[in-house]
Amino acid sequence: MSDLAHVPAVRRSVAATPEQVWEVLSDGWLYPTWVVGAARMRDVDEAWPAAGARLHHSVGNWPLLLDDKSEVLESRPPRLLRLQAHGWPAGAAEVLLEIEPEGTGSLVSIREDAVKGPGSLVPRPARQAAIVPRNRETLRRLAYIAEGRA
């Protein structure tokens, strides 16, 4: 595991409870609707989002799609989900999603950094310059889904 304490967290207030946000995270088939870069789902392990469970997804844009996967490293419903997301040829990243109660809603944060492959060779400031804006959009999408269901 990487040390995500040294990468910036992207945070967003969400007008949905932690349990309602977790419901979205728990539905692996929704993954490409809120994760920027994920294009489609191919399969979701029955145990998702328990530790060790995997999502089998594709990344990229049609017709240039690569089949890959994301695996749960740690799961503490409804507060924490730590993933290793694969996206070759770039490599793999560790992603930490944390959900805290905030008033009648939630504060959701995401931290991410490359841990394997060519992406991990890029200096951290340069890779975070690309990761942070993508994670802002990821949290925007997650919030829209959770709030729309709330």
Side-chain angles (χ1 to χ4, degrees):
M1 281 198 249
S2 70
D3 184 5
L4 293 178
H6 297 300
V7 299
V10 175
R11 293 179 173 85
R12 183 178 179 99
S13 293
V14 179
T17 66
E19 291 77 15
Q20 290 166 321
V21 174
W22 189 262
E23 283 179 29
V24 177
L25 298 177
S26 294
D27 186 345
W29 291 101
L30 291 176
Y31 190 77
T33 64
W34 60 272
V35 174
V36 174
R40 66 180 175 201
M41 288 305 302
R42 299 183 336 274
D43 194 20
V44 176
D45 285 2
E46 191 173 310
W48 181 266
R54 293 181 176 181
L55 294 176
H56 306 273
H57 53 80
S58 300
V59 296
N61 291 309
W62 187 90
L64 304 173
L65 292 169
L66 297 172
D67 290 345
D68 231 316
K69 65 184 178 295
S70 292
E71 181 177 351
V72 178
L73 300 175
E74 183 179 1
S75 179
R76 286 191 266 143
R79 302 282 192 259
L80 181 140
L81 185 63
R82 184 185 300 262
L83 306 173
Q84 185 166 92
H86 296 263
W88 285 103
E94 186 174 326
V95 181
L96 176 64
L97 287 146
E98 295 177 290
I99 309 149
E100 302 172 34
E102 182 182 67
T104 59
S106 303
L107 178 64
V108 181
S109 67
I110 185 170
R111 293 177 191 264
E112 176 180 351
D113 202 15
V115 293
K116 291 182 183 176
S120 65
L121 301 176
V122 174
R124 182 176 280 159
R127 64 183 185 246
Q128 287 300 313
I131 291 171
V132 166
R134 185 172 57 78
N135 281 341
R136 268 193 210 102
E137 176 61 19
T138 290
L139 286 188
R140 181 179 298 127
R141 293 176 184 190
L142 178 61
Y144 287 158
I145 297 167
E147 291 169 352
R149 292 174 151 201

